[in-house]
Amino acid sequence: MRYAPEHKQETRRKIITMAGRLFRKHGYEGVGIDQIMAAADLTRGGFYGYFKSKKDLFTAVMDSEHDFNRKMSTRSGESRDALIAEAKEIVEGYLDIKNRTVVGQGCSMAALSVDVARAHKPTKKAYTTFIKDLAAQFNRTINEDDPSDARGLLCIATCVGGLTIARGLADDALADKVLQACRDQVLKTLENT
């Protein structure tokens, strides 16, 4: 039975989505092709019709749309003040204590940056593009006239680093304190544009 091209694309997206969740929850090394395909309700044999290897799938996960980028890029504000207000709301949600516990559905950067550091070059390139795109969205708010302004990168590093550290802490009060400190710093950066 032959499937329509749309079916193959949809199945590929489903594999990428399931792999992203599993990679975020268990790490790259903590999950195998069998688990990924089972989560996508597919057989292992079908995997190679979509990807050459698990490494290539990891690259596809890093190359897919990420929630933080999507939210920042779909802001509708037409003035700098409106863009700042929307960015602040996104950052507050990202650094919310509730986001600390949703690792499988949460941010790929906060869950997988260490795995990307060990990954092959195509994965690192996809991750680099992801970071550059997100920095451009912050810079659209902070200083759209100077794309080399490093404050967008500061916001990303503060958000991702803060969430990563908070997720590793066994002390809820300390985790909340870390997230609050990071929120305060990023909001201050956004307000002083």
Side-chain angles (χ1 to χ4, degrees), residues 35-158:
Q35 292 166 290
I36 293 165
M37 295 304 281
D41 292 324
L42 299 164
T43 63
R44 179 188 176 95
F47 176 83
Y48 296 100
Y50 298 94
F51 303 97
K52 292 178 186 175
S53 66
K54 183 178 156 188
K55 289 191 311 189
D56 289 337
L57 173 57
F58 192 46
T59 300
V61 168
M62 285 297 108
D63 202 28
S64 63
E65 183 177 77
H66 300 276
D67 198 44
F68 201 178
N69 281 32
R70 183 186 53 73
K71 286 179 179 176
M72 288 294 288
S73 66
T74 58
R75 290 176 295 153
S76 59
E78 295 183 20
S79 69
R80 170 127 322 139
D81 287 343
L83 287 172
I84 289 170
E86 287 176 87
K88 287 167 71 174
E89 185 177 323
I90 292 165
V91 166
E92 287 173 348
Y94 185 87
L95 292 171
D96 188 282
I97 194 73
K98 292 177 205 136
N99 198 21
R100 175 178 169 239
T101 60
V102 290
V103 178
Q105 275 109 37
C107 177
S108 293
M109 289 182 296
L112 297 172
S113 290
V114 173
D115 288 319
V116 171
R118 296 183 191 104
H120 69 312
K121 195 169 189 168
T123 303
K124 289 181 179 184
K125 283 185 175 183
Y127 183 83
T128 300
T129 299
F130 171 39
I131 296 295
K132 285 180 177 179
D133 291 347
L134 185 54
Q137 289 305 318
F138 272 104
N139 284 347
R140 185 177 123 197
T141 305
I142 294 169
N143 187 355
E144 105 183 297
D145 297 328
D146 183 6
S148 67
D149 191 319
R151 289 179 291 175
L153 294 171
L154 170 72
C155 290
I156 295 168
T158 304

Side-chain angles (χ1 to χ4, degrees), residues 1-28:
M1 176 177 173
R2 295 191 83 152
Y3 290 108
E6 301 83 31
H7 180 268
K8 186 165 182 163
Q9 291 171 349
E10 183 56 38
T11 301
R12 186 176 194 280
R13 274 192 295 275
K14 186 177 181 181
I15 295 168
I16 291 169
T17 299
M18 292 297 115
R21 286 182 188 160
L22 290 170
F23 288 150
R24 285 188 297 273
K25 188 171 183 178
H26 303 289
Y28 177 78

